[in-house]
Amino acid sequence: MLEKPLCASIECKNKAHLQCPTCVKLGKNGESFFCSQDCFKKSWGSHKAVHGDTKSPYDPFKTFKYAGPLRAVYPLSPRRTVPEEISRPDYAESGISRSELMSRGSDIKVLTPEEIEGAKKACAITREVLELAAKSIRVGMTTDELDRIVHEATIERGAYPSPLNYNYFPKSCCTSLNEVICHGIPDQRPLADGDILNIDISCFYQGFHGDTNGTYLVGNVDEAGQKLVNVTRECLEKAIAAVKPGMRYRDFGKIIEDHATKNGFSVVRAFVGHGIHQLFHCAPNVPHYANNKAIGVCKPGHIFTIEPMICEGVHQELMWPDGWTATTKDGKRSAQFEHTLLVTETGVEILT
Ligand code: MF3
Ligand code: CO
Ligand code: CO
């Protein structure tokens, strides 16, 4: 005897009598039965993904009060795979980096010359992948297509895309459009003429991470948007120019904030630059705003990022229900640039 299936609605254990008509049409039987119209309706938002119907993209956060015009466009594509022979960071399977947790509270690492060589290789790959991604930007392509390009370019070079499953992040890079400050998830949203798009690439190669990002103009961007992008790039350049042994990590913020505010922009406070080497994120913390209390002084052999996020309006953020995408609270645009930097005896070397 065939047992009646159970309702596919979460937390409902009733016997199911109804089947989703779309599933019937598509011949999909898994997860397609419901006990009632009510459960069917309640589950629709997530159930729809079962259809795998990329021709009818939908907003998974329909009732969320978005700050600006951008919407999430689901379903996300299936998780991409990394060949067995590529060495992975410790969170690749578990989602949680034990080594990063263990390192909390540790001093800033001074890398040996051999370690510096390792970090340089990872950073060179990271830069190559960012440039390749940037060159493939086209109006009408989706950010998920960009993610596929990034993923394939990364594994072709024998590297693991650091974002993939880092704290359960679902994709291989971050794509942050317009009002998204950072950590946008590549999805089915097609790029539109006039968008500004940040692509943030991180690669793990033979034990070391590299991290770099840039904001790119999609088609014709208005002058205000171009100015935002240019000033943000200048903020990073000015901060990098100040890197040398003896410089305090707390002092980069003033350089960045002075240049941003002089141009009528604000500086994001919730996300900071970070140490990076065998760990993706570690000491030091590098705030991009003035009057911060960051600990530590630049020493030869330190590797860290500076990655200012600069906004047209307010600096405060609003998190989407996906737990990752951070937009500005007022829905106005934000731009970002990032490099991984090595402190040398005499100054700085940009590794990305
Ligand atoms: N690349 C980002 C940074 O600059 C981190 C992304 S973490 C992810 O620090 F999980 F969102 F990918
Ligand atoms: Co970073
Ligand atoms: Co980054």
Side-chain angles (χ1 to χ4, degrees), residues 3 31 56 76 82 87 131-132 146 166 168 239-240 257 314:
E3 184 85 48
E31 302 288 304
S56 70
L76 297 184
V82 177
S87 90
E131 267 166 25
L132 196 136
L146 267 176
Y166 179 74
Y168 310 108
I240 291 174
E257 188 171 311
V314 301

Side-chain angles (χ1 to χ4, degrees), residues 163 166 169 174 183 200 202 211 213 274 280-281 307 324 338:
Y166 179 74
F169 190 83
C174 300
H183 302 165
D200 192 340
S202 317
D211 192 3
N213 76 47
H274 51 92
F280 193 3
H281 295 98
E307 47 184 297
W324 283 106
E338 172 177 34

